[in-house]
Amino acid sequence: MRTSPSVRRRLISVAAVSAALFTAATATGAMAQETAAPQQAPTAARTEAAPGAPAERLIVGYKSGAAEAKSNKAADADAVAKGRKAGESLDFERRLGTGAALVDLGEDLSKADVADVIAEYEADPQVAYVVPDRLNKPLATPNDTEYTKQWDLFEATAGMNVPGAWDTTTGTGVTVAVIDTGYVAHSDLAANIVGGYDFISDATVANDGGGRDSNPADPGDWTAANECASGDPAYDSSWHGTHVAGTIAAATGNGKGVAGIAYGAKISPLRVLGKCGGYDSDIIDAITWASGGTVSGVPANTNVAKVINMSLGGGGACTTATQNAINAAVGRGTTVVVAAGNSNANAANYSPASCNNVISVAATDRQGNRSYYSNYGSVVDIAAPGGETNSVTTNGILSTLNSGTKGPGSESYEYYQGTSMAAPHIAGLAALMKSANTALTPAQIESAIKTNSRALPGTCSGGCGAGLADAAKTVQAVSGSGGSTGGTTFTSTSSVAIPDNGTVESPITVSGRSGNAPSALQVGVDITHTYRGDLVIDLVAPDGSAYRLKNSSSSDSADNVVTTYTVNASGEAANGTWKLRVRDTATLDTGRVNSWKLTF
């Protein structure tokens, strides 16, 4: 059926949808505010053992001036003395190559006993650190038959280091809502599918004979030539939502197919995209319902999601209506992950990539470069593998699919490329994190992903956020076994007007830090401006060195700058007065710095 002009006006166009998902040949639809975890005051000794952690031996590092740092006899005497205070029998076992002392705790110590011993060492000002002598084990490699083709999960160059996270968590207990084309049955995913909903209200778009209902099955989104807009070619069904869902939570260790990033998690498929795209209104209702909100005429959600993935989008800045739905979802504790878009353009001009309170994801290729199609810019938060199939098909992202060109056929696996494929990598990581630490807020999840990312091994013109996400390091951080969940935050909430065609500076005084600033200093800015393309933004260090955060651009016509930049400030002393310098390079448009912050 031909879509009427009125339908075409109100839909996210199929061209916009197509620009966001790429198949091996072409593609289809789709494409934070952070609160750093509070840093506790350091104790005399640093410990990486959680209170009450079971251990049989401890590794104790003494400060260089301590007698115990050089004398085995002194280290042994210290162990005996601390054991006596804790009511235990401790023995110095040997000196490690680093100079640290290995201390045996004896047998049958309870968790509380171990905590008491650790406390004695922590209280000693001559002890630099005390950590458990952990028993390591080899990480299992999934037996899924196609796993070796999933470079995006494990390759050292540009993979996301996912297997290293599986020893800690697999996502159990977390539901991820995939707001997309729905779900077509696939045996490598079925075990992890829970109830969803079909939110498509227009029967023509739905392509399943009706409007909204409780069945999110994907009947196919194929279109004939010129069906959505004059000049559009014909498209086969994409089965896009099923591909996205497989990346997040395909069954793993089942001897077939692919491995999912959070294979212990569940997927709730919410259908919003059909023929020619999908309405904003349907997407807004899906966001609301997925996160536990109430939608008129729709039954209460019994599978509330703690993570939402939206690999969809279109041109234009984020609307107030969409932003309100996202804000409410985040307020209910749901992390929202979105694709940056596939137009090789500034993501600030696309939605929902430009919305606040989301994790906006750019795509990288197998070498760690920004993929040629990926959007970029200051609103991008993080990068993840999205692949490139234009030259080598196997350099794409392999996931679950269906062979049907119109309606469903047999189940299959295919390589796709796109920021649609990058976003579910981050949604899967968010599910792993939430499973490992249920207390995490959406802001803390975003902060930890950024803080524990690594520099892109390739290049990214235009800006790809904090870097390439690292699943293992991030999960270790939020589970308390390594990494960082963020640091101390210094904030300026003094509103400062930006003069028209002029410059303003807003200061923050940092104190109580030692040494230099980090190599991944987080600079969060909240600037209101009626044409942000006029703005040049710099971070000015205490010694006057300037770090460019944003250049002016005649093509960046959206309003406001609300984002977080990452700066390598490791050459700067942390303490002192830092400044945010904002220069308006043209006349007519005005604004103000509402607030900004530094997270060390």
Side-chain angles (χ1 to χ4, degrees):
M1 179 182 292
R2 187 177 181 82
T3 306
S4 69
S6 62
V7 171
R8 289 201 301 270
R9 278 197 303 271
R10 289 150 53 209
L11 287 176
I12 296 175
S13 72
V14 73
V17 171
S18 297
L21 158 73
F22 285 62
T23 63
T26 19
T28 291
M31 314 235 183
Q33 326 260 47
E34 64 187 82
T35 302
Q39 185 176 26
Q40 298 177 348
T43 55
R46 177 172 61 85
T47 179
E48 294 166 27
E56 295 181 357
R57 301 187 299 188
L58 296 177
I59 300 172
V60 181
Y62 291 94
K63 295 180 180 179
S64 58
E68 295 86 350
K70 299 177 182 178
S71 167
N72 292 350
K73 184 177 180 181
D76 184 46
D78 189 47
V80 171
K82 285 183 169 55
R84 187 179 298 115
K85 289 182 180 179
E88 306 297 340
S89 178
L90 307 186
D91 289 307
F92 169 81
E93 189 164 304
R94 63 183 172 89
R95 183 79 56 179
L96 305 188
T98 59
L102 183 62
V103 176
D104 186 86
L105 298 177
E107 298 180 356
D108 300 325
L109 267 69
S110 68
K111 293 180 180 180
D113 294 336
V114 174
D116 290 342
V117 172
I118 288 174
E120 291 296 331
Y121 277 106
E122 284 183 317
D124 187 343
Q126 296 301 315
V127 173
Y129 63 85
V130 53
V131 299
D133 185 20
R134 297 180 299 195
L135 182 65
N136 292 267
K137 55 186 177 181
L139 298 176
T141 298
N143 63 6
D144 303 73
T145 54
E146 305 300 308
Y147 175 70
T148 57
K149 301 175 182 177
Q150 294 181 271
W151 62 266
D152 47 306
L153 303 190
F154 60 81
E155 279 192 355
T157 299
M160 216 174 75
N161 198 14
V162 174
W166 287 336
D167 195 44
T168 301
T169 177
T170 63
T172 302
V174 178
T175 296
V176 181
V178 175
I179 298 179
D180 214 293
T181 64
Y183 164 69
V184 62
H186 200 294
S187 63
D188 204 14
L189 190 53
N192 286 335
I193 297 294
V194 295
Y197 206 81
D198 181 355
F199 278 93
I200 300 179
S201 54
D202 183 275
T204 301
V205 178
N207 198 33
D208 61 0
R212 289 184 172 181
D213 56 56
S214 60
N215 183 6
D218 186 350
D221 56 358
W222 59 274
T223 58
N226 304 310
E227 184 171 4
C228 298
S230 178
D232 279 353
Y235 287 100
D236 290 340
S237 291
S238 67
W239 315 113
H240 182 266
T242 301
H243 196 281
V244 168
T247 296
I248 298 170
T252 302
N254 60 344
K256 66 176 292 183
V258 295
I261 291 171
Y263 60 83
K266 301 299 183 183
I267 297 292
S268 174
L270 306 187
R271 189 165 180 255
V272 297
L273 299 178
K275 273 185 177 285
C276 305
Y279 289 102
D280 273 356
S281 56
D282 291 343
I283 294 169
I284 287 168
D285 279 351
I287 294 169
T288 302
W289 190 80
S291 58
T294 301
V295 176
S296 178
V298 180
N301 185 2
T302 58
N303 298 297
V304 174
K306 288 305 178 184
V307 181
I308 287 174
N309 186 93
M310 289 196 289
S311 290
L312 51 81
C318 184
T319 66
T320 301
T322 298
Q323 186 64 68
N324 287 346
I326 290 171
N327 289 347
V330 171
R332 287 187 282 268
T334 299
T335 298
V336 181
V337 179
V338 304
N342 298 331
S343 300
N344 187 28
N346 193 328
N349 299 315
Y350 295 82
S351 178
S354 61
C355 295
N356 298 327
N357 270 339
V358 301
I359 303 177
S360 186
V361 188
T364 54
D365 64 18
R366 197 166 182 172
Q367 290 71 47
N369 305 294
R370 176 172 68 84
S371 298
Y372 70 91
Y373 53 77
S374 177
N375 284 356
Y376 51 81
S378 61
V379 301
V380 172
D381 294 299
I382 197 70
E388 286 187 5
T389 61
N390 58 332
S391 57
V392 180
T393 301
T394 54
N395 285 350
I397 306 301
L398 186 65
S399 188
T400 47
L401 212 71
N402 191 278
S403 64
T405 57
K406 290 183 171 60
S410 58
E411 65 179 41
S412 63
Y413 301 88
E414 294 292 342
Y415 291 96
Y416 273 8
Q417 65 174 20
T419 56
S420 281
M421 285 58 256
H425 283 76
I426 299 303
L429 173 53
L432 293 175
M433 297 165 68
K434 190 67 176 177
S435 177
N437 184 344
T438 58
L440 290 173
T441 67
Q444 289 170 330
I445 286 174
E446 179 181 352
S447 178
I449 289 173
K450 291 179 176 180
T451 302
N452 293 285
S453 65
R454 65 185 193 269
L456 290 181
T459 61
C460 175
S461 57
C464 286
L468 181 63
D470 187 307
K473 186 178 178 184
T474 306
V475 167
Q476 288 168 3
V478 300
S479 63
S481 56
S484 171
T485 57
T488 303
T489 298
F490 298 84
T491 304
S492 170
T493 57
S494 299
S495 181
V496 182
I498 303 170
D500 196 23
N501 200 21
T503 301
V504 69
E505 291 184 342
S506 175
I508 287 178
T509 299
V510 174
S511 61
R513 306 294 299 175
S514 60
N516 286 0
S519 59
L521 178 64
Q522 303 289 298
V523 187
V525 301
D526 182 347
I527 296 174
T528 299
H529 198 272
T530 51
Y531 191 92
R532 70 181 180 203
D534 290 349
L535 299 182
V536 175
I537 306 175
D538 292 297
L539 175 68
V540 182
D543 68 355
S545 300
Y547 296 83
R548 180 59 47 89
L549 304 179
K550 178 188 177 301
N551 286 307
S552 60
S553 171
S554 59
S555 64
D556 189 3
S557 59
D559 297 341
N560 310 330
V561 182
V562 182
T563 191
T564 299
Y565 300 96
T566 302
V567 174
N568 182 354
S570 57
E572 305 290 344
N575 290 334
T577 300
W578 297 74
K579 298 176 183 177
L580 187 73
R581 178 186 296 156
V582 182
R583 179 164 60 94
D584 188 333
T585 62
T587 57
L588 301 180
D589 292 279
T590 59
R592 62 192 312 105
V593 178
N594 299 313
S595 64
W596 70 288
K597 61 184 178 180
L598 294 170
T599 301
F600 288 79

